[in-house]
Amino acid sequence: MLVPMICPECGLDLKGHVCRACQARRTRDGMLRHQRRFLQTWLAGEIDLRVKRIDGVLHLELFDDRWHSYCDAEMFSVTQRDYVSELPADLCPNCITVFNTLVAKAKEV
């Protein structure tokens, strides 16, 4: 018999330990923290950024996670990616916002 539990993060009644939404948020937060070293390497000019176009919108792919963008758009259906050394002008505004925030943090040593 399953005993109903409450998600410790959002308070939702569930059958597991943490609800899927909180688990997804926790995973994304960890992946965004994981970008720091990659962004420091990019700032040093040693690696390129990767971009993918979804429905006409250019998104910036996370380092070490080719299935998600900085704005959290899922990129499972897109196989074509391009490498760029600088941010394209037509990049998704939400990707730019998250990216710039993380770059500012990556500059802090």
Side-chain angles (χ1 to χ4, degrees):
M1 179 174 152
L2 288 174
V3 177
M5 297 186 66
I6 296 177
C7 176
E9 295 186 27
C10 71
L12 182 71
D13 287 332
L14 57 122
K15 295 177 183 176
H17 296 289
V18 177
C19 73
R20 289 184 186 264
C22 289
Q23 182 181 18
R25 189 186 73 249
R26 187 186 299 171
T27 301
R28 175 161 170 79
D29 290 345
M31 187 53 75
L32 290 177
R33 284 191 305 275
H34 181 61
Q35 300 302 298
R36 182 168 192 230
R37 290 287 179 204
F38 292 108
L39 292 173
Q40 289 171 336
T41 306
W42 173 75
L43 287 167
E46 297 174 17
I47 58 175
D48 287 334
L49 302 171
R50 297 166 301 190
V51 293
K52 291 182 178 179
R53 193 167 299 278
I54 304 170
D55 298 326
V57 179
L58 194 62
H59 291 276
L60 188 58
E61 179 183 302
L62 288 173
F63 290 103
D64 217 20
D65 179 6
R66 67 186 217 170
W67 307 117
H68 293 90
S69 68
Y70 278 82
C71 73
D72 204 25
E74 293 181 349
M75 301 197 289
F76 298 109
S77 63
V78 183
T79 56
Q80 169 87 28
R81 76 162 68 129
D82 294 313
Y83 294 86
V84 295
S85 57
E86 296 187 15
L87 289 178
D90 61 340
L91 194 63
C92 163
N94 294 330
C95 282
I96 291 172
T97 301
V98 174
F99 180 79
N100 286 338
T101 301
L102 293 177
V103 166
K105 289 180 182 178
K107 288 179 180 178
E108 298 171 3
V109 179

